[in-house]
Amino acid sequence: MTTPNRRPASPCGPAIGGIPVPDSTLAREATELVRDVTDDLIYHHSRRVYLFGAHHGHHRGLDFDPELLYVGALFHDLGLTGKFRTSRQRFELDGADEARAFLTARGIPEDRARLVWEGIALHTTPEIPHHMAPEVALVTAGVELDVLGIGYDTLPTETREAVVAAHPRPDFKRRILHAFHAGLAHRPATTFGNVKADVLDRFEEGYTRPNFVRIIEDSPWPE
């Protein structure tokens, strides 16, 4: 018997660091799509996000759909790619919209696809995702570990080494910051209210960080 609103378990390929990796038709198609439109940096980062998020989920005993987490992890930085260099919405929404369209086109119910959308859309918004469904929370957990190092010391050394051997991260800190900058420089207003404002503050000449207090004080309301 399956949990209500949850699909049967999907087939898995070889595990990495003891972490099962989905190997269904859906997962393979997601991998092919993302591999075709991203460079090695984003592809390997996205796979690590899945692996670290799934490890976190298994360690905490969470009941999550590995396929949905896998798609969320793979698509989470798609908005940083060249396809979206003219987009004016948040890059997180670009990836979220693409993932939802990918899933619904393959018969995934809207309520399940929306979990993936939420996981991607909120992955740069601290704390809130961790109080949502596991498929949402674990995308953020994987991103936080791979980019920020949150949880680094709690990850078994052998797991970390196996993941990085399969998906290397050469010069990752510098290169991912460059990718963030390149994907955001043409739409600076979209970084207001999330952590990506720090990227433009550091790397974009002439960028002025929006100030929430000043926006209130300068609003057209008389008082």
Side-chain angles (χ1 to χ4, degrees), residues 66 85 108:
R85 284 296 187 266
I108 302 301

Side-chain angles (χ1 to χ4, degrees), residues 177 180-192 195-210:
L177 287 170
F180 291 154
H181 181 205
L184 297 170
H186 68 285
R187 44 181 163 182
T190 66
T191 66
F192 177 57
V195 297
K196 290 300 188 289
D198 293 338
V199 175
L200 295 187
D201 188 54
R202 172 72 177 273
F203 297 106
E204 183 68 8
E205 184 175 355
Y207 173 74
T208 300
R209 182 194 295 271

Side-chain angles (χ1 to χ4, degrees), residues 6-185:
R6 192 171 294 278
R7 295 175 298 126
S10 61
C12 291
I16 298 175
I19 305 162
V21 180
D23 191 36
S24 61
T25 298
L26 181 73
R28 290 194 298 270
E29 289 180 353
T31 303
E32 291 170 5
L33 185 155
V34 172
R35 195 69 178 104
D36 285 345
V37 301
T38 61
D39 58 12
D40 284 349
L41 171 73
I42 297 299
Y43 172 71
H44 288 299
H45 163 56
S46 299
R47 289 267 293 188
R48 291 193 305 271
V49 166
Y50 165 75
L51 291 163
F52 291 146
H55 173 83
H56 184 73
H58 291 312
H59 180 70
R60 292 187 57 199
L62 299 180
D63 180 20
F64 65 94
D65 185 325
E67 277 187 314
L68 295 187
L69 176 59
Y70 187 77
V71 173
L74 257 65
F75 279 70
H76 85 280
D77 271 348
L78 209 63
L80 298 175
T81 63
K83 177 180 179 179
F84 299 101
R85 284 296 187 266
T86 59
S87 173
R88 294 296 171 179
Q89 67 176 355
R90 285 177 55 157
F91 89 95
E92 302 93 331
L93 297 180
D94 291 329
D97 290 345
E98 288 286 306
R100 181 164 57 186
F102 170 86
L103 290 168
T104 56
R106 287 157 178 80
I108 302 301
E110 174 60 30
D111 62 330
R112 305 301 292 160
R114 184 166 183 82
L115 289 177
V116 177
W117 189 93
E118 291 171 348
I120 298 171
L122 292 171
H123 81 269
T124 62
T125 304
E127 192 172 354
I128 291 173
H130 293 297
H131 296 271
M132 300 178 70
E135 293 84 357
V136 178
L138 295 177
V139 172
T140 291
V143 170
E144 288 178 342
L145 200 160
D146 198 49
V147 178
L148 305 176
I150 296 174
Y152 181 90
D153 292 332
T154 65
L155 188 69
T157 301
E158 60 273 18
T159 301
R160 183 171 61 245
E161 291 177 349
V163 170
V164 173
H167 296 290
R169 39 177 295 144
D171 196 21
F172 178 73
K173 292 180 180 181
R174 183 191 65 81
R175 292 171 66 214
I176 196 64
L177 287 170
H178 174 77
F180 291 154
H181 181 205
L184 297 170

